[in-house]
Amino acid sequence: MRGRDAIAVALRHPDGRIVYATERLDSGFHGSRWAKLPFLRGLIVLYETLFVGTRWLVRSASVQAAGSGEEGDEGVELGKGSIALMLGLTLLAGVGIFFLLPLLIASVTTSKIDNGLVQHLVEGLIRVAIFLGYLFLISLAEDVRRVFKYHGAEHMTIHALEAGDPLVVDSVRKYPTAHPRCGTEFLVVVIALSIVAFSLVGRQEPAVMIGSRIALIPVIAAVGYEILKWGAKHRGNAIVRAIMYPGILVQMITTRQPTNDMIEVAIVSMEEALKADGETLPLGSGTVPRDGLDVPAAPKAAEGAAGGAAATTDVVGTGGAAVTIDPPLPGA
């Protein structure tokens, strides 16, 4: 869970305990005036999310391995260079599969059609099909289904916090697994924006079209973040709800109904994120047992930090969920 100035991570240890850790957001940009500028702030949040998320995925895996008696060390820590390499390879694969592959297929299949708009429409439809197909295929894996359950628990906990309910299993359980600021919805917005942006480029030489797909990705991501924030603030408007509804539908794939023990993990993560930012827990919260996780070289979040926005979801997913990005609560 991401707060204003810190993140909190909760894990279900192999021995059954819930362990947690908090750390400050220290990307070098966080808290600066650059981090508050529209469009640029989305890229900074994305940067922080990717680095923090990757680091905690590795840490959580090492805790699981060590606790299960496998080869592993709870003190495993990746350096920035290793994280950058992992992210670079991952992003390279993502750009190739979700942006360049649709361009290649559309260019070949529409090569004899003079109307460039047809190519862009076909490219967009292929990109949507690949995206949805990818989510559906990975959802068939048992481990990923478990991840999606944790994802649902995360969103349900956020709903309970926003409603002012105590953060206990019975209160959280009544809320839906979909949430309007989910990273899945961000990806849906990015896909939709890419169709519009690339159509403006038009049919050009292959090198220009490939270059435009790569160069426009950060622009599309920055605009997508602002649209997501705007949509979250105006969700009460029926037209806005209709426009953003595809993101809710896709969450039918990326979230599942969690078990009670998964909800407990999400609650601990939320509560520790709130405390790390100096927030007061909702009345009746703080009942789930937990133990601190000793993480070498991980700066602990200072208790009693200045008050401000409540925590948000999906900095590292939950319990090892895929890295996603959720913007702060309205007014944050």
Side-chain angles (χ1 to χ4, degrees), residues 101-158:
L101 180 59
L103 172 63
L104 174 62
I105 296 175
S107 296
V108 172
T109 56
T110 64
S111 59
K112 296 183 180 181
I113 300 177
D114 294 331
N115 192 336
L117 289 178
V118 174
Q119 175 188 323
H120 296 302
L121 177 61
V122 172
E123 179 186 349
L125 292 175
I126 293 172
R127 183 171 295 113
V128 170
I130 291 176
F131 173 63
L132 294 178
Y134 167 77
L135 291 179
F136 176 75
L137 287 176
I138 65 173
S139 71
L140 299 178
E142 182 179 351
D143 286 347
V144 176
R145 285 200 302 272
R146 183 169 178 272
V147 165
F148 287 169
K149 289 180 180 181
Y150 270 110
H151 195 193
E154 189 177 40
H155 289 170
M156 294 163 73
T157 305
I158 288 291

Side-chain angles (χ1 to χ4, degrees), residues 32-108:
S32 69
R33 61 188 181 92
W34 303 107
K36 300 177 182 179
L37 294 177
F39 302 106
L40 186 58
R41 61 189 174 187
L43 296 179
I44 292 175
V45 169
L46 180 60
Y47 168 80
E48 291 178 340
T49 297
L50 291 173
F51 267 81
V52 173
T54 300
R55 184 167 66 244
W56 271 104
L57 286 173
V58 173
R59 287 175 179 168
S60 64
S62 69
V63 170
Q64 176 69 25
S68 301
E70 303 172 8
E71 286 189 15
D73 183 357
E74 293 191 20
V76 170
E77 184 71 16
L78 284 183
K80 288 187 176 181
S82 298
I83 294 177
L85 178 60
M86 291 176 62
L87 290 178
L89 294 175
T90 302
L91 291 174
L92 183 64
V95 169
I97 294 172
F98 295 106
F99 288 91
L100 300 186
L101 180 59
L103 172 63
L104 174 62
I105 296 175
S107 296
V108 172

